[in-house]
Amino acid sequence: MEGFSEEQTLSLVAQIQDWQHVRSQTESSVFSYPVGVSCFPTALPRAKFQQALEIQEIYNRLYCSVAEDEQWIHDAIRDIISVEPLAAALWSIYEAAKETGHIQKISVGIFRSDYMLHLNEGAEPQSPNAVFETSLKQVEMNTFSCSGGSHANKVGDMHRYLARTGIYNVNDASLDIASLPVNKNIESLASCLALAHTTYGGPRSQEARQTAVLMIVQPNNFNTADERPIEYALWNREDPVPTYRLEFGPDILEHTWLTENRELLFQPPWLASKTPVEISVVYLRAGYEAEEYNHVGWEARLQLENSVAIKCPSLLAHITTFKKVQQALAAPGALEKFLSGSDAAKIRETFVPVYPLDESEQGLFARKLACDPEKSLNYILKPSLEGGGHNVYGTEIPDYLASIPQERWYSYILMERIQPPIQTNILMGPAALDSGQTVSELGILGCCLWQSQSDQTSEHRCKMLHNSVGGWTFKTKFAEVDEMSVVKGYGHFDTPRLMDP
Amino acid sequence: MEGFSEEQTLSLVAQIQDWQHVRSQTESSVFSYPVGVSCFPTALPRAKFQQALEIQEIYNRLYCSVAEDEQWIHDAIRDIISVEPLAAALWSIYEAAKETGHIQKISVGIFRSDYMLHLNEGAEPQSPNAVFETSLKQVEMNTFSCSGGSHANKVGDMHRYLARTGIYNVNDASLDIASLPVNKNIESLASCLALAHTTYGGPRSQEARQTAVLMIVQPNNFNTADERPIEYALWNREDPVPTYRLEFGPDILEHTWLTENRELLFQPPWLASKTPVEISVVYLRAGYEAEEYNHVGWEARLQLENSVAIKCPSLLAHITTFKKVQQALAAPGALEKFLSGSDAAKIRETFVPVYPLDESEQGLFARKLACDPEKSLNYILKPSLEGGGHNVYGTEIPDYLASIPQERWYSYILMERIQPPIQTNILMGPAALDSGQTVSELGILGCCLWQSQSDQTSEHRCKMLHNSVGGWTFKTKFAEVDEMSVVKGYGHFDTPRLMDP
């Protein structure tokens, strides 16, 4: 880094290696490796950070309202239900649950809205001031199984510690610790789940001894280091909230069951006590991949959805995480159905053009763009899947589309590519330590609790019981890499250094 | 474990693996491995735990007083200075420093007194009540570079978390969380160093920009996981205490220097600012092995000792960690030199017979015991070195003594072997997971700040400015292993389960 000596860098790296808390567990063994982190905090305009925080409560309200509008959601994803296995699975579970009848009107949401800075027309990506010649644009909205909160919290603590030691000071320019925002993700996510737990109240079933939160996780989960701190925080509260883990799939059917009144009872197999606990909140950190919904996975999710437990999130809220929903909300007038004009404007300001690839007017226009080797350069083709893993970028789009049957085009959206400012950093992953040009992504965590009022008209279908900002995640990757996946080693947790022009 | 199912055990192990905070760093890489821990808290009589806590302040006062009595210490270790390289090095540095003249009258002590339960005459080691048919006996007193505090703190948090989840409940017997004492080692060790830092006051040198604690550590230190939390706690205090690490040896001479008034100035090479910091407190976590005192190490330690910085601990306090001092204090009347009759009685109650191997009457008696293949069975031969690594046990003593020149016998003490009650546990180390018969060792951390009044008579040479219990460590090993070393994988961090008869 500029003005940073070899010696300074080596010491910085050694100190980061000592910061144990960012270790993450490998699948098969107790040995662990560090989560990728940036050696230096990355500059971010204070005003953009504030803007992202301020609109999160609007985003929360928007998605909770959408989650209560079955018809609107169905219209948005109708085209992909037939071609997208995950959409098909979730919708069929929703319909089966609807038949049984929803008996829990309250839902919890732990959302994460991801943003990048988008350069203004004509701004020079690598100029020192580039970050200030930008606007805040949303990459995607995640409403299901949002991860990274604990890592971001701990890496934020790490960068603040390093800043205190003065190691980031170059010449006489010192990094003001106040420019690194405090991150309380772990505490606020736990508080949100605790609030839902309290809202549920005491055991309703005679059989149960107590109520508890049930965290549904993936088998051979590599990311326990991100999930566990939330459990520890729940158990360690002044008024402890019992929290248990259970793997998605057969374990759910084996160890949980519904009472006549559809209370969800759970018998932790590893506990001696044979009195079951009654689940107050189902916190889903698994079930976001089509492969998980084989016959057993399907039945398991249905059993959870049918229960009176508060779901984090409900099935419809889960479905709103699909890119098709993001695209439908970008359509003219869509936001105004759920938000006031001024709120809608604040949200739309963060949108980049997103198009369907269907046969609507917009869709046909987008197909032209996507199939044009030159025009496609500025776009990303995104399937309606979790995460960015399956995106197709720029010039690769035409060939890719040509390689798949047209019926599958429906499941994709075409999104204009965000042009972020380029910065430099040293990124430290489990395997490699490299310096280079980087781009960053800001995620804002939203925590909300809402009540369905499906009897009401659409404007009043969703009653917000709680709506707050949980905290943030900040990830940085090398500019030449397309994906931001931390799991794959591309993304590195970072802390924004808030700057004014 | 009794009444504990396979399923319960597997889940317990998996949950412990997820408890990241007990990871420790390997020498050469960022990859890490877990510190050895016990799967179950180990029973300890509440009364014995209380006794150990209550007498710690007396032990602190005793060793601070001894540390101010040069003549007494010299008498105690005279015989080994010629044969024991570490003793020779430390004493010669002390004398060199004395020539220059001590200008800092205040010292800090972070001590650890280690105990085991010793079975009463005729008690059955493996009976369920064996732990109650015991008395508390001191294994050794550590006054230098005491480790394990952070690990013990975190493992204590782990066992308390696990207890909350109910996993330790067997049938209808539930483990009361209140029986697992809260451990605040990290906070209290940091507070003790912060107090010394404050007592030192602001910079005295015009050159320095601020005062800071300097932690002296070993190169390629595997135990950063035990040291770092104390640094983080110091930096994270409401009134942050700057704390820097420096390796014992050449780095000290290269990066620190004394001013005319012997302020110790330090220029962290990894910081851009070229204004040095003035060291308020030197916290030594290295320098406990003879090998470290080559010419450079000798000069380095002398420079630290010559400075006006407050040492944790002073050289004489360091020397009191020698087994010869423990043995000398066990001699009739020795304790009464430093303590009131009632305090001396409380301390002596925790002693087992300890003998010199010199040519005194006691020494000759001990030589008879040590050279007798049968009598030696109940004894341990201990050199005046840190830790238990070099002990010789029972029947091996006669042959060992025969194998070394008689002059070297002086550096050893002969200690009656403690006969601990046998318990069972599952111990989980970096490599192995085994169940079996175990024995445990309780360490009580003492934190003190004292002022030398060398002008006074022996009774009043030491003025205690602060005297408190810092917390505890609790280690468990398989009964058939002699050593308790965690580094070597024998000792496992544990949490006492306080029980009443």
Side-chain angles (χ1 to χ4, degrees):
Chain A
M1 301 303 289
E2 243 191 286
F4 219 69
S5 74
E6 175 81 9
E7 193 152 32
Q8 284 171 281
T9 309
L10 290 176
S11 165
L12 178 60
V13 167
Q15 293 197 54
I16 291 175
Q17 289 179 340
D18 281 352
W19 191 270
Q20 287 218 299
H21 299 187
V22 301
R23 301 300 161 89
S24 175
Q25 179 144 19
T26 58
E27 280 186 23
S28 54
S29 106
V30 65
F31 286 75
S32 67
Y33 60 88
V35 154
V37 298
S38 70
C39 289
F40 297 81
T42 296
L44 183 73
R46 188 186 312 275
K48 297 293 184 287
F49 185 71
Q50 286 305 334
Q51 179 191 354
L53 293 177
E54 281 158 17
I55 60 177
Q56 187 58 40
E57 294 187 7
I58 306 178
Y59 263 118
N60 292 344
R61 200 156 14 91
L62 170 63
Y63 274 78
C64 295
S65 305
V66 170
E68 291 304 324
D69 195 330
E70 172 195 330
Q71 187 55 53
W72 189 93
I73 293 178
H74 186 256
D75 292 345
I77 67 162
R78 186 192 294 105
D79 289 349
I80 66 170
I81 292 176
S82 51
V83 288
E84 176 54 65
L86 182 60
L90 295 181
W91 190 260
S92 61
I93 295 169
Y94 169 73
E95 289 196 313
K98 185 181 175 188
E99 211 152 284
T100 319
H102 295 291
I103 56 172
Q104 178 53 268
K105 300 248 174 230
I106 295 175
S107 303
V108 200
I110 293 178
F111 301 153
R112 200 190 69 235
S113 183
D114 292 335
Y115 305 92
M116 291 179 92
L117 295 175
H118 182 58
L119 287 164
N120 300 341
E121 203 59 36
E124 171 47 53
Q126 301 184 32
S127 83
N129 282 330
V131 289
F132 297 113
E133 300 166 6
T134 58
S135 54
L136 187 75
K137 294 299 181 186
Q138 186 183 50
V139 176
E140 65 178 4
M141 177 72 166
N142 306 280
T143 65
F144 189 77
S145 187
C146 298
S147 67
S150 299
H151 288 313
N153 190 325
K154 289 169 174 179
V155 174
D157 292 343
M158 177 186 80
H159 283 120
R160 285 174 56 84
Y161 157 75
L162 290 167
R164 280 202 196 86
T165 68
I167 195 161
Y168 290 133
N169 301 347
V170 177
N171 308 326
D172 294 338
S174 74
L175 189 156
D176 174 11
I177 177 88
S179 67
L180 305 181
V182 175
N183 195 331
K184 299 235 175 261
N185 291 343
I186 296 169
E187 188 182 309
S188 46
L189 266 55
S191 302
C192 177
L193 293 167
L195 173 63
H197 173 77
T198 315
T199 307
Y200 182 89
R204 308 172 184 194
S205 156
Q206 300 301 328
E207 298 174 63
R209 58 189 154 92
Q210 62 176 175
T211 54
V213 172
L214 185 64
M215 187 188 273
I216 304 297
V217 299
Q218 286 192 323
N220 304 325
N221 188 334
F222 93 100
N223 211 11
T224 47
D226 192 55
E227 294 163 357
R228 281 298 202 178
I230 301 169
E231 293 174 66
Y232 301 149
L234 282 162
W235 278 105
N236 288 333
R237 291 172 70 84
E238 202 169 313
D239 192 356
V241 177
T243 308
Y244 299 99
R245 297 166 70 82
L246 191 60
E247 289 184 359
F248 191 89
D251 287 4
I252 294 176
L253 298 177
E254 187 174 341
H255 302 297
T256 78
W257 64 95
L258 297 181
T259 64
E260 242 178 32
N261 308 321
R262 291 202 260 155
E263 290 109 4
L264 181 65
L265 298 190
F266 172 50
Q267 177 57 65
W270 56 86
L271 293 191
S273 161
K274 289 310 164 212
T275 321
V277 294
E278 179 173 330
I279 299 308
S280 54
V281 181
V282 175
Y283 175 36
L284 287 142
R285 292 287 299 249
Y288 48 81
E289 287 168 351
E291 298 64 36
E292 294 175 274
Y293 292 93
N294 55 18
H295 176 67
V296 173
W298 195 95
E299 287 294 343
R301 182 75 188 267
L302 177 61
Q303 176 160 302
L304 300 177
E305 191 67 12
N306 274 338
S307 77
V308 70
I310 296 176
K311 271 71 77 182
C312 180
S314 68
L315 249 168
L316 280 185
H318 180 173
I319 292 172
T320 63
T321 211
F322 283 22
K323 304 289 188 301
K324 284 298 286 183
V325 168
Q326 183 181 8
Q327 168 246 307
L329 285 172
L335 289 175
E336 282 72 6
K337 183 177 194 309
F338 303 100
L339 299 173
S340 73
S342 63
D343 283 348
K346 287 179 187 160
I347 295 299
R348 187 169 289 109
E349 207 187 320
T350 65
F351 286 173
V352 293
V354 192
Y355 308 101
L357 274 186
D358 54 22
E359 280 163 343
S360 67
E361 194 182 325
Q362 272 214 321
L364 296 173
F365 170 72
R367 289 181 175 199
K368 277 209 189 64
L369 293 174
C371 297
D372 180 321
E374 301 205 334
K375 293 209 180 77
S376 63
L377 181 63
N378 289 332
Y379 291 88
I380 305 175
L381 187 69
K382 294 185 170 185
S384 268
L385 291 173
E386 262 295 303
H390 309 267
N391 297 344
V392 184
Y393 296 85
T395 51
E396 297 164 2
I397 299 174
D399 292 351
Y400 178 80
L401 284 176
S403 74
I404 62 171
Q406 284 220 3
E407 313 85 80
R408 287 206 44 79
W409 291 19
Y410 288 95
S411 64
Y412 290 86
I413 62 159
L414 191 71
M415 187 170 174
E416 194 174 295
R417 217 170 165 158
I418 296 173
Q419 304 296 346
I422 304 297
Q423 307 199 50
T424 61
N425 206 328
I426 300 176
L427 302 184
M428 194 165 141
L433 175 69
D434 284 313
S435 65
Q437 300 190 323
T438 61
V439 299
S440 302
E441 183 177 292
L442 173 68
I444 304 296
L445 287 159
C447 297
C448 42
L449 192 67
W450 75 93
Q451 182 162 19
S452 166
Q453 303 188 308
S454 32
D455 47 325
Q456 308 283 324
T457 61
S458 66
E459 292 73 56
H460 307 87
R461 280 215 189 106
C462 169
K463 181 181 175 198
M464 298 301 284
L465 303 178
H466 174 77
N467 185 359
S468 68
V469 175
W472 48 267
T473 64
F474 194 59
K475 299 178 201 162
T476 296
K477 64 179 178 68
F478 289 115
E480 65 272 19
V481 182
D482 282 324
E483 290 186 53
M484 185 57 95
S485 163
V486 172
V487 180
K488 297 184 186 171
Y490 301 134
H492 296 69
F493 284 98
D494 194 353
T495 300
R497 179 182 182 176
L498 303 182
M499 318 263 282
D500 299 304
Chain B
M1 302 301 290
E2 243 190 287
F4 219 69
S5 74
E6 176 81 9
E7 195 153 30
Q8 286 172 280
T9 309
L10 290 176
S11 166
L12 178 60
V13 167
Q15 294 198 52
I16 291 176
Q17 290 179 340
D18 280 352
W19 191 268
Q20 287 217 301
H21 298 186
V22 301
R23 303 298 163 88
S24 176
Q25 180 145 17
T26 59
E27 281 188 20
S28 54
S29 106
V30 65
F31 286 74
S32 68
Y33 59 90
V35 154
V37 299
S38 70
C39 290
F40 296 81
T42 296
L44 183 75
R46 187 187 313 274
K48 297 292 185 287
F49 185 71
Q50 286 305 334
Q51 180 191 353
L53 293 176
E54 281 157 16
I55 60 177
Q56 187 57 41
E57 294 187 6
I58 307 176
Y59 262 118
N60 292 344
R61 202 158 10 93
L62 171 62
Y63 274 79
C64 296
S65 306
V66 170
E68 291 305 324
D69 196 331
E70 173 194 330
Q71 188 55 52
W72 190 93
I73 292 177
H74 186 257
D75 293 345
I77 67 161
R78 186 192 293 108
D79 289 349
I80 67 169
I81 292 176
S82 51
V83 288
E84 177 53 65
L86 181 60
L90 295 180
W91 191 260
S92 61
I93 295 169
Y94 169 73
E95 289 196 313
K98 185 181 175 188
E99 211 153 283
T100 321
H102 297 289
I103 54 172
Q104 179 53 267
K105 300 254 175 225
I106 295 175
S107 303
V108 201
I110 292 177
F111 302 153
R112 199 190 70 235
S113 183
D114 292 334
Y115 305 91
M116 291 179 93
L117 296 176
H118 182 58
L119 286 163
N120 300 341
E121 203 58 34
E124 171 47 52
Q126 302 183 30
S127 84
N129 282 329
V131 290
F132 297 112
E133 299 165 7
T134 59
S135 53
L136 187 75
K137 294 299 181 184
Q138 187 184 48
V139 176
E140 65 178 4
M141 178 71 168
N142 307 281
T143 65
F144 189 77
S145 187
C146 298
S147 66
S150 300
H151 289 312
N153 190 325
K154 289 170 174 178
V155 174
D157 292 343
M158 177 186 78
H159 284 120
R160 285 173 57 84
Y161 157 75
L162 291 166
R164 279 199 196 88
T165 68
I167 195 162
Y168 289 134
N169 301 349
V170 176
N171 307 328
D172 294 338
S174 73
L175 189 156
D176 174 12
I177 178 87
S179 67
L180 304 181
V182 174
N183 196 331
K184 298 235 177 262
N185 290 343
I186 295 168
E187 187 183 309
S188 46
L189 266 55
S191 303
C192 177
L193 293 167
L195 174 63
H197 173 76
T198 316
T199 306
Y200 182 88
R204 307 173 185 194
S205 157
Q206 300 300 329
E207 299 174 64
R209 62 189 149 92
Q210 65 178 151
T211 54
V213 172
L214 185 65
M215 187 187 273
I216 305 296
V217 299
Q218 286 192 324
N220 305 325
N221 188 333
F222 93 101
N223 210 11
T224 46
D226 191 55
E227 295 163 356
R228 282 298 202 179
I230 301 169
E231 293 174 67
Y232 302 149
L234 282 161
W235 279 106
N236 290 332
R237 290 172 70 84
E238 203 170 311
D239 191 355
V241 177
T243 308
Y244 300 99
R245 296 166 70 84
L246 191 60
E247 289 184 0
F248 191 88
D251 287 4
I252 294 175
L253 298 177
E254 187 175 343
H255 302 297
T256 76
W257 64 94
L258 296 180
T259 65
E260 243 180 31
N261 309 322
R262 292 200 262 155
E263 290 111 1
L264 181 65
L265 299 189
F266 172 49
Q267 177 57 64
W270 58 86
L271 293 192
S273 160
K274 289 308 164 213
T275 320
V277 293
E278 180 173 329
I279 299 308
S280 54
V281 180
V282 175
Y283 175 36
L284 288 141
R285 291 288 298 248
Y288 49 81
E289 287 169 351
E291 300 63 38
E292 295 175 271
Y293 292 94
N294 56 19
H295 176 67
V296 173
W298 194 95
E299 288 293 343
R301 182 75 188 268
L302 177 61
Q303 176 159 302
L304 300 177
E305 191 68 10
N306 274 337
S307 76
V308 69
I310 296 176
K311 270 72 75 181
C312 179
S314 69
L315 250 167
L316 280 186
H318 180 172
I319 292 172
T320 63
T321 211
F322 282 23
K323 304 290 189 302
K324 285 298 287 183
V325 169
Q326 182 182 7
Q327 167 247 306
L329 285 171
L335 290 175
E336 283 74 6
K337 183 177 194 307
F338 303 100
L339 299 173
S340 71
S342 63
D343 283 349
K346 289 179 186 160
I347 295 300
R348 186 169 290 111
E349 207 186 321
T350 65
F351 286 173
V352 292
V354 192
Y355 308 101
L357 274 186
D358 56 21
E359 282 163 342
S360 67
E361 194 182 324
Q362 272 214 320
L364 295 172
F365 170 73
R367 289 183 176 197
K368 277 209 189 63
L369 293 173
C371 298
D372 181 322
E374 302 205 333
K375 294 209 181 79
S376 63
L377 180 64
N378 291 330
Y379 292 89
I380 306 176
L381 187 69
K382 294 185 170 183
S384 269
L385 293 172
E386 262 295 302
H390 309 269
N391 297 344
V392 183
Y393 296 85
T395 51
E396 299 165 0
I397 299 174
D399 292 350
Y400 178 80
L401 284 175
S403 74
I404 62 170
Q406 283 219 3
E407 312 85 78
R408 286 206 44 78
W409 291 18
Y410 287 94
S411 63
Y412 290 86
I413 63 160
L414 191 72
M415 189 170 174
E416 194 174 298
R417 212 167 171 164
I418 296 173
Q419 304 296 345
I422 305 296
Q423 307 198 49
T424 61
N425 206 328
I426 300 177
L427 303 182
M428 195 166 141
L433 175 68
D434 284 314
S435 65
Q437 299 190 323
T438 60
V439 299
S440 302
E441 183 177 291
L442 173 69
I444 304 296
L445 286 159
C447 297
C448 42
L449 193 66
W450 75 93
Q451 182 163 18
S452 166
Q453 304 189 307
S454 33
D455 48 327
Q456 309 284 321
T457 60
S458 64
E459 291 72 56
H460 307 85
R461 280 213 188 110
C462 169
K463 182 180 174 196
M464 299 300 287
L465 304 178
H466 174 78
N467 185 1
S468 67
V469 176
W472 47 268
T473 65
F474 194 59
K475 300 177 200 161
T476 295
K477 64 177 179 70
F478 289 116
E480 66 271 18
V481 182
D482 283 324
E483 291 186 52
M484 186 57 93
S485 162
V486 172
V487 182
K488 297 183 185 172
Y490 301 134
H492 297 68
F493 283 97
D494 194 352
T495 301
R497 180 183 182 176
L498 303 182
M499 318 263 281
D500 299 304

